[in-house]
Amino acid sequence: MVRTASASVAAGPTLAVVAREAGVSVPTASKVVNGREDVAPETRRRVTEALDRLGYVRRPRFDASKAPRLVDLVVHSLESSWSGAVLHGVEEAAHDAGLEVVVSAALTRTRAGRPERGWLDKLVARGSSGVLFNLAELSDSQYAWLEQHRIPFVMIDPVQEPPDGVASVGAANWQGGLTATEHLLALGHERIAVIAGHRRTMCSSARVAGYRSALASAGIRNRAEYVRHAGFDESLARRRMRELLDLPEPPTAVFVCSDRMALGVYEALAERGLRVPDDVSVVGFDDLPEARWASPGLTTVRQPLSEMAATALRSLLRLMDGHHPESTRTELSTRLVERASTAAPRG
């Protein structure tokens, strides 16, 4: 279950008030409250009577061995349906395992490029048993800090290749890029562009590599001008699509490496009076709810976000129990979800 902040302190006398009423010290009153035996019978009687007379509420003793284990989920943002799908997968798997989850959105670096330490210190302060990092880019010092404090952690879709021995879970991005491009090729498209995310991210690079492999296998030349990067930003993807449309030979189809960016592509085409898929076919990546809501419905590559998150939590559980992962890199398969945004090219 996901832990939410709540606190209610019952009104009532403090232990100091009870001690003063019974004529004893606070440590002695504490011994009586906690059932210690090293208290004289007469003293115990006076303290007990004072506790009852004043209505002191004995709070149950905290037993760490019986408390549910706590794990942290650190996400880049909580404002997207992408993060929502990840949170759903973690929450379900945590519920099955009897875990509590604390969710926080944290940038892993300051603007100056130095490691952000505040959230790391909080992990130790609240006694987290392990951490899941979603779309995180950790510095060398942050990895070292986690190792030094012996905190198990697993990366969900890491931005860059993690160091050797670090467990991570992601999707088969290369295969997804290949499948998306092969779908467009099968419809008869040859002028196929790609709008990718960040140049240096693992998932974006793999999707573009799959795109290029599909074109090469079909004997179609890779055109450098058909490869654009928009940093997974919807407005920037709209701009990149305008640039593609301004080429002397614009593409008849475009593979967009995220559903959110595909919505920006839709807007750019509508601005030019072009229709999807009559004039340009569009394939996205992720299969977020936005893909179903788009008009026309977006053909996209589904990556199993909730399943990735649940798999990562189960891997974290094994690390928390002292077991080494069977494999440090786990990739879950992707699949094409066909809707109404792709068709054969005109003419």
Side-chain angles (χ1 to χ4, degrees), residues 258-278:
S258 83
D259 292 346
R260 291 296 301 274
M261 290 197 299
L263 298 181
V265 168
Y266 270 36
E267 292 177 5
L269 294 171
E271 290 169 358
R272 299 291 180 93
L274 299 174
R275 294 177 298 172
V276 178
D278 298 2

mmCIF file of all heavy atoms in Angstrom, residues 258-278:
data_model
loop_
_atom_site.group_PDB
_atom_site.id
_atom_site.type_symbol
_atom_site.label_atom_id
_atom_site.label_comp_id
_atom_site.label_asym_id
_atom_site.label_seq_id
_atom_site.Cartn_x
_atom_site.Cartn_y
_atom_site.Cartn_z
ATOM 1 N N SER A 258 7.222 8.487 -28.584
ATOM 2 C CA SER A 258 6.368 8.524 -27.388
ATOM 3 C C SER A 258 4.987 8.995 -27.822
ATOM 4 O O SER A 258 4.853 9.763 -28.778
ATOM 5 C CB SER A 258 6.928 9.434 -26.293
ATOM 6 O OG SER A 258 6.587 10.782 -26.522
ATOM 7 N N ASP A 259 3.967 8.542 -27.101
ATOM 8 C CA ASP A 259 2.600 8.949 -27.426
ATOM 9 C C ASP A 259 2.399 10.439 -27.224
ATOM 10 O O ASP A 259 1.670 11.088 -27.983
ATOM 11 C CB ASP A 259 1.606 8.171 -26.557
ATOM 12 C CG ASP A 259 1.553 6.691 -26.906
ATOM 13 O OD1 ASP A 259 2.068 6.309 -27.969
ATOM 14 O OD2 ASP A 259 0.999 5.919 -26.097
ATOM 15 N N ARG A 260 3.007 10.993 -26.171
ATOM 16 C CA ARG A 260 2.848 12.427 -25.927
ATOM 17 C C ARG A 260 3.399 13.239 -27.084
ATOM 18 O O ARG A 260 2.801 14.230 -27.516
ATOM 19 C CB ARG A 260 3.548 12.815 -24.621
ATOM 20 C CG ARG A 260 2.903 12.272 -23.361
ATOM 21 C CD ARG A 260 1.502 12.836 -23.148
ATOM 22 N NE ARG A 260 1.492 14.288 -23.041
ATOM 23 C CZ ARG A 260 1.702 14.958 -21.908
ATOM 24 N NH1 ARG A 260 1.937 14.304 -20.792
ATOM 25 N NH2 ARG A 260 1.661 16.278 -21.892
ATOM 26 N N MET A 261 4.556 12.849 -27.607
ATOM 27 C CA MET A 261 5.105 13.552 -28.759
ATOM 28 C C MET A 261 4.221 13.355 -29.983
ATOM 29 O O MET A 261 4.098 14.253 -30.828
ATOM 30 C CB MET A 261 6.530 13.076 -29.041
ATOM 31 C CG MET A 261 7.555 13.509 -28.019
ATOM 32 S SD MET A 261 9.268 13.373 -28.620
ATOM 33 C CE MET A 261 9.399 11.621 -28.944
ATOM 34 N N ALA A 262 3.598 12.190 -30.112
ATOM 35 C CA ALA A 262 2.717 11.943 -31.251
ATOM 36 C C ALA A 262 1.551 12.921 -31.270
ATOM 37 O O ALA A 262 1.084 13.330 -32.343
ATOM 38 C CB ALA A 262 2.209 10.508 -31.223
ATOM 39 N N LEU A 263 1.080 13.340 -30.089
ATOM 40 C CA LEU A 263 0.007 14.330 -30.053
ATOM 41 C C LEU A 263 0.483 15.664 -30.617
ATOM 42 O O LEU A 263 -0.283 16.376 -31.285
ATOM 43 C CB LEU A 263 -0.478 14.509 -28.610
ATOM 44 C CG LEU A 263 -1.080 13.266 -27.946
ATOM 45 C CD1 LEU A 263 -1.546 13.600 -26.529
ATOM 46 C CD2 LEU A 263 -2.227 12.699 -28.765
ATOM 47 N N GLY A 264 1.743 16.000 -30.364
ATOM 48 C CA GLY A 264 2.310 17.197 -30.967
ATOM 49 C C GLY A 264 2.399 17.078 -32.474
ATOM 50 O O GLY A 264 2.172 18.055 -33.217
ATOM 51 N N VAL A 265 2.700 15.885 -32.966
ATOM 52 C CA VAL A 265 2.739 15.632 -34.411
ATOM 53 C C VAL A 265 1.344 15.807 -35.010
ATOM 54 O O VAL A 265 1.174 16.416 -36.082
ATOM 55 C CB VAL A 265 3.289 14.222 -34.694
ATOM 56 C CG1 VAL A 265 3.065 13.823 -36.147
ATOM 57 C CG2 VAL A 265 4.769 14.163 -34.348
ATOM 58 N N TYR A 266 0.329 15.298 -34.333
ATOM 59 C CA TYR A 266 -1.054 15.487 -34.789
ATOM 60 C C TYR A 266 -1.369 16.973 -34.973
ATOM 61 O O TYR A 266 -1.989 17.385 -35.965
ATOM 62 C CB TYR A 266 -2.019 14.898 -33.752
ATOM 63 C CG TYR A 266 -2.393 13.448 -33.931
ATOM 64 C CD1 TYR A 266 -1.476 12.510 -34.393
ATOM 65 C CD2 TYR A 266 -3.673 12.995 -33.615
ATOM 66 C CE1 TYR A 266 -1.820 11.174 -34.531
ATOM 67 C CE2 TYR A 266 -4.033 11.666 -33.752
ATOM 68 C CZ TYR A 266 -3.101 10.758 -34.209
ATOM 69 O OH TYR A 266 -3.450 9.442 -34.350
ATOM 70 N N GLU A 267 -0.941 17.788 -34.004
ATOM 71 C CA GLU A 267 -1.224 19.220 -34.062
ATOM 72 C C GLU A 267 -0.522 19.877 -35.250
ATOM 73 O O GLU A 267 -1.117 20.713 -35.945
ATOM 74 C CB GLU A 267 -0.784 19.885 -32.760
ATOM 75 C CG GLU A 267 -1.605 19.486 -31.551
ATOM 76 C CD GLU A 267 -1.084 20.102 -30.271
ATOM 77 O OE1 GLU A 267 -0.139 20.925 -30.356
ATOM 78 O OE2 GLU A 267 -1.599 19.768 -29.194
ATOM 79 N N ALA A 268 0.734 19.490 -35.491
ATOM 80 C CA ALA A 268 1.478 20.064 -36.617
ATOM 81 C C ALA A 268 0.818 19.719 -37.949
ATOM 82 O O ALA A 268 0.726 20.564 -38.850
ATOM 83 C CB ALA A 268 2.918 19.561 -36.596
ATOM 84 N N LEU A 269 0.341 18.496 -38.075
ATOM 85 C CA LEU A 269 -0.318 18.086 -39.318
ATOM 86 C C LEU A 269 -1.636 18.831 -39.492
ATOM 87 O O LEU A 269 -1.972 19.264 -40.605
ATOM 88 C CB LEU A 269 -0.557 16.572 -39.295
ATOM 89 C CG LEU A 269 0.711 15.709 -39.324
ATOM 90 C CD1 LEU A 269 0.373 14.244 -39.085
ATOM 91 C CD2 LEU A 269 1.438 15.862 -40.661
ATOM 92 N N ALA A 270 -2.389 18.995 -38.402
ATOM 93 C CA ALA A 270 -3.664 19.719 -38.493
ATOM 94 C C ALA A 270 -3.437 21.174 -38.894
ATOM 95 O O ALA A 270 -4.225 21.749 -39.664
ATOM 96 C CB ALA A 270 -4.395 19.640 -37.160
ATOM 97 N N GLU A 271 -2.350 21.783 -38.402
ATOM 98 C CA GLU A 271 -2.034 23.168 -38.756
ATOM 99 C C GLU A 271 -1.816 23.330 -40.258
ATOM 100 O O GLU A 271 -2.125 24.370 -40.834
ATOM 101 C CB GLU A 271 -0.773 23.621 -38.012
ATOM 102 C CG GLU A 271 -0.960 23.797 -36.511
ATOM 103 C CD GLU A 271 0.368 23.989 -35.797
ATOM 104 O OE1 GLU A 271 1.426 23.940 -36.472
ATOM 105 O OE2 GLU A 271 0.344 24.173 -34.571
ATOM 106 N N ARG A 272 -1.291 22.295 -40.896
ATOM 107 C CA ARG A 272 -1.027 22.341 -42.339
ATOM 108 C C ARG A 272 -2.214 21.825 -43.165
ATOM 109 O O ARG A 272 -2.095 21.711 -44.380
ATOM 110 C CB ARG A 272 0.218 21.507 -42.663
ATOM 111 C CG ARG A 272 1.493 21.977 -41.986
ATOM 112 C CD ARG A 272 1.969 23.301 -42.535
ATOM 113 N NE ARG A 272 3.194 23.740 -41.886
ATOM 114 C CZ ARG A 272 4.427 23.491 -42.345
ATOM 115 N NH1 ARG A 272 4.583 22.773 -43.462
ATOM 116 N NH2 ARG A 272 5.489 23.937 -41.693
ATOM 117 N N GLY A 273 -3.297 21.497 -42.486
ATOM 118 C CA GLY A 273 -4.453 20.992 -43.212
ATOM 119 C C GLY A 273 -4.284 19.557 -43.687
ATOM 120 O O GLY A 273 -4.989 19.113 -44.601
ATOM 121 N N LEU A 274 -3.387 18.822 -43.047
ATOM 122 C CA LEU A 274 -3.141 17.428 -43.413
ATOM 123 C C LEU A 274 -3.895 16.507 -42.461
ATOM 124 O O LEU A 274 -4.064 16.807 -41.278
ATOM 125 C CB LEU A 274 -1.645 17.122 -43.371
ATOM 126 C CG LEU A 274 -0.780 17.956 -44.326
ATOM 127 C CD1 LEU A 274 0.693 17.672 -44.093
ATOM 128 C CD2 LEU A 274 -1.153 17.663 -45.781
ATOM 129 N N ARG A 275 -4.329 15.365 -42.986
ATOM 130 C CA ARG A 275 -5.110 14.429 -42.183
ATOM 131 C C ARG A 275 -4.330 13.154 -41.901
ATOM 132 O O ARG A 275 -3.536 12.703 -42.712
ATOM 133 C CB ARG A 275 -6.414 14.075 -42.923
ATOM 134 C CG ARG A 275 -7.378 15.251 -43.083
ATOM 135 C CD ARG A 275 -8.604 14.845 -43.884
ATOM 136 N NE ARG A 275 -8.227 14.428 -45.242
ATOM 137 C CZ ARG A 275 -9.076 13.880 -46.109
ATOM 138 N NH1 ARG A 275 -10.333 13.676 -45.766
ATOM 139 N NH2 ARG A 275 -8.663 13.535 -47.319
ATOM 140 N N VAL A 276 -4.606 12.613 -40.709
ATOM 141 C CA VAL A 276 -4.038 11.328 -40.280
ATOM 142 C C VAL A 276 -5.153 10.286 -40.416
ATOM 143 O O VAL A 276 -6.251 10.471 -39.901
ATOM 144 C CB VAL A 276 -3.574 11.405 -38.813
ATOM 145 C CG1 VAL A 276 -3.037 10.057 -38.346
ATOM 146 C CG2 VAL A 276 -2.530 12.506 -38.608
ATOM 147 N N PRO A 277 -4.917 9.191 -41.139
ATOM 148 C CA PRO A 277 -3.686 8.776 -41.835
ATOM 149 C C PRO A 277 -3.718 9.055 -43.336
ATOM 150 O O PRO A 277 -2.832 8.608 -44.062
ATOM 151 C CB PRO A 277 -3.691 7.275 -41.591
ATOM 152 C CG PRO A 277 -5.148 6.909 -41.681
ATOM 153 C CD PRO A 277 -5.898 8.072 -41.089
ATOM 154 N N ASP A 278 -4.743 9.781 -43.820
ATOM 155 C CA ASP A 278 -4.891 9.956 -45.271
ATOM 156 C C ASP A 278 -3.652 10.569 -45.905
ATOM 157 O O ASP A 278 -3.227 10.159 -46.999
ATOM 158 C CB ASP A 278 -6.107 10.839 -45.569
ATOM 159 C CG ASP A 278 -7.406 10.222 -45.095
ATOM 160 O OD1 ASP A 278 -7.352 9.122 -44.509
ATOM 161 O OD2 ASP A 278 -8.474 10.826 -45.287
#
